[in-house]
Amino acid sequence: QVSAFGFSLGKHNNCRAPTPCITNHPSALRNNTPGHCRTKLFASGGFGGASSKTKNKKGKKSKSSSSPSTKKMNPRDAKRAKQELTERYGGDIGKGTQDRIQTSLENLETHLREAAELHKATTQFDALVAPMTAADKNRLIPAAQTQIAEEDRKKLKSIVEEHGLSDLDLHNVYQRITWDAAADAKATQADIVGNKMKSDLQERITKACTVAVESTESSDEEGAVAALGKVLDVGCGHGAIVRSLVDAGLSEPDMYVGIDLSGEMVKAAVDRYGSARNGRTGKGREFVADDFYTYDFGGDEDGVVFDSVIFCSALHDLPDMEGAISKSASLLRSKGGKVIVVHAQGAQHVLGQNQANPVMVKRGLPTTKEWGEMLDDHPEWGFTLEYEPADPRSDREEKEGYLAVLSKN
């Protein structure tokens, strides 16, 4: 399926790429308070329930009835679910998604809709000519097209200055609208297959989730900082990796916090994974519909909240990659806190998305060299590249996909 912006919504449902919205900003949609993007905090819904895992007499963890569903729908239920989903999308999921996107665009305030369209046009033009030499540009790009692009750029600058918008705001408009439109389809399709990807891709997600969960366990190493027992899932979507984290050993629901720009995605996550409770604390999973960059997660006096931050098919869609890593560093405990970046289909897949639609996907995932340069430029983050990602198109990428792990010194 491809969105109205040419962005593939994909067949795989275990990871979902978000981009945060800008709070207190005129990029909000009309159905929010004018000029303000409402924060939606969903502390896991439902009542009662036991912890997601309990320990047996031998001290081993065992799943309880509140663990996320792992069962694939039987053929009859799957057929019914597909039919009902198709009906909700007007008879065709792809076209219905595009129709929802277009309706949301039309409901934007006039200046924001015009700015979004100009942003799209100029971004696509810049991506087209970026790899060209000056000679190739003169030979291949008509002068009239270049002139139109420059006029669009001037119009966009005028609107941005008049209304206090930014490139980030406009990028977020497309992300929010697209994933709100796709949320029902993505979540329902994941339900049908039992919330699992193909086995080879699922293994890659499981590996990343295991790293995230292991960070929540207290360490006996000398000088290690005590674990907090918390994982942050950035771009949580409909709760795509909740089950994988539980399977990896995340023993209590209240050890999980997910954040996503799309309110519709977050609603789907709460519906599916919001009822489980920690039997001791009575608390459950938290799902937040807000801007990762600006949301206040609380924490201690230094803002430390989490043992690990995981980006599953999400980092490349965030418009400020370095800003996302900087924010993560501020949320993590020292000496063992980790950032995990995973994309089961690999970096080459992301480069293809970037080429197909630079409006939604601004760049590819960092290579090992780029991670090294980034960490050298930001020693204040306190990270070491613990696990180097495979290069695009390499034999290793074909076997592993993309996985990078940063560890706090």
Side-chain angles (χ1 to χ4, degrees):
Q1 301 169 36
V2 178
S3 79
F5 315 116
F7 179 69
S8 174
L9 300 178
K11 296 185 292 182
H12 305 295
N13 300 296
N14 266 62
C15 287
R16 216 280 305 158
T19 300
C21 67
I22 300 299
T23 56
N24 295 311
H25 212 285
S27 64
L29 304 185
R30 272 186 179 169
N31 59 356
N32 284 335
T33 304
H36 180 69
C37 182
R38 291 176 182 166
T39 297
K40 297 179 182 177
L41 172 61
F42 298 88
S44 61
F47 299 92
S51 63
S52 63
K53 290 189 180 180
T54 57
K55 291 187 177 180
N56 59 25
K57 293 181 180 180
K58 294 182 180 181
K60 295 181 179 180
K61 294 174 181 177
S62 60
K63 294 179 186 178
S64 76
S65 60
S66 62
S67 295
S69 173
T70 61
K71 190 174 181 181
K72 183 178 180 179
M73 285 188 187
N74 63 51
R76 185 178 66 179
D77 289 345
K79 181 178 180 180
R80 183 187 303 113
K82 289 177 182 178
Q83 290 176 338
E84 292 174 351
L85 175 64
T86 301
E87 289 173 3
R88 292 197 297 273
Y89 277 80
D92 184 291
I93 295 174
K95 183 178 182 301
T97 300
Q98 294 184 14
D99 289 344
R100 292 183 181 195
I101 290 170
Q102 188 59 40
T103 297
S104 294
L105 280 173
E106 291 171 355
N107 286 335
L108 292 173
E109 295 178 37
T110 302
H111 73 275
L112 185 56
R113 182 173 65 251
E114 184 177 1
E117 291 170 351
L118 291 169
H119 167 76
K120 176 185 174 183
T122 55
T123 299
Q124 290 176 332
F125 179 82
D126 290 344
L128 174 67
V129 302
M132 296 182 183
T133 64
D136 286 340
K137 182 178 176 181
N138 290 332
R139 179 170 59 88
L140 298 172
I141 306 299
Q145 187 176 352
T146 301
Q147 183 179 353
I148 290 172
E150 291 307 311
E151 291 175 354
D152 286 345
R153 208 179 309 278
K154 290 178 182 177
K155 292 177 185 176
L156 178 59
K157 182 180 178 181
S158 176
I159 296 172
V160 163
E161 291 177 349
E162 181 180 353
H163 296 278
L165 300 171
S166 70
D167 180 76
L168 189 62
D169 298 329
L170 299 175
H171 176 85
N172 291 342
V173 167
Y174 286 109
Q175 288 281 345
R176 187 188 311 110
I177 286 175
T178 296
W179 293 115
D180 275 351
D184 185 14
K186 293 283 284 184
T188 302
Q189 288 163 349
D191 292 340
I192 290 170
V193 299
N195 298 289
K196 293 194 74 172
M197 304 175 81
K198 293 194 303 182
S199 60
D200 58 334
L201 300 180
Q202 183 60 48
E203 287 176 5
R204 299 168 188 179
I205 301 302
T206 299
K207 181 177 180 179
C209 288
T210 299
V211 175
V213 172
E214 287 177 348
S215 298
T216 68
E217 299 170 356
S218 296
S219 173
D220 294 327
E221 296 178 11
E222 186 177 352
V225 176
L228 303 169
K230 283 281 189 178
V231 172
L232 175 63
D233 177 10
V234 181
C236 65
H238 53 81
I241 63 170
V242 168
R243 178 198 165 185
S244 296
L245 287 166
V246 172
D247 287 348
L250 197 65
S251 57
E252 298 292 353
D254 58 353
M255 296 174 72
Y256 173 93
V257 177
I259 187 167
D260 200 290
L261 170 65
S262 168
E264 293 301 314
M265 281 287 186
V266 168
K267 288 178 184 177
V270 172
D271 287 345
R272 287 157 176 79
Y273 306 109
S275 62
R277 298 282 174 167
N278 181 324
R280 180 176 58 84
T281 67
K283 296 180 180 180
R285 299 182 184 97
E286 290 184 8
F287 294 95
V288 183
D290 206 326
D291 173 8
F292 169 63
Y293 294 109
T294 61
Y295 184 74
D296 182 2
F297 290 92
D300 63 19
E301 59 183 12
D302 296 320
V304 174
V305 190
F306 301 103
D307 300 297
S308 58
V309 176
I310 185 167
F311 297 84
C312 183
S313 297
L315 185 63
H316 59 285
D317 274 349
L318 292 168
D320 179 4
M321 197 170 289
E322 288 193 16
I325 301 303
S326 179
K327 173 77 173 190
S328 299
S330 72
L331 296 171
L332 286 171
R333 65 178 172 91
S334 60
K335 297 186 183 297
K338 297 185 189 299
V339 169
I340 301 99
V341 181
V342 59
H343 196 296
Q345 292 159 284
Q348 184 59 36
H349 178 84
V350 175
L351 288 175
Q353 289 182 318
N354 168 250
Q355 293 170 1
N357 194 338
V359 177
M360 289 285 285
V361 182
K362 284 185 170 291
R363 57 153 294 164
L365 291 166
T367 62
T368 294
K369 180 181 178 182
E370 289 171 332
W371 276 121
E373 293 171 348
M374 202 184 307
L375 298 184
D376 286 343
D377 290 341
H378 296 281
E380 73 278 8
W381 293 347
F383 281 129
T384 298
L385 183 58
E386 180 179 300
Y387 192 89
E388 298 178 354
D391 291 328
R393 294 184 178 175
S394 66
D395 291 340
R396 184 173 158 229
E397 183 194 46
E398 187 174 346
K399 296 177 181 177
E400 297 184 9
Y402 184 97
L403 175 64
V405 179
L406 309 179
S407 183
K408 276 276 198 172
N409 301 325

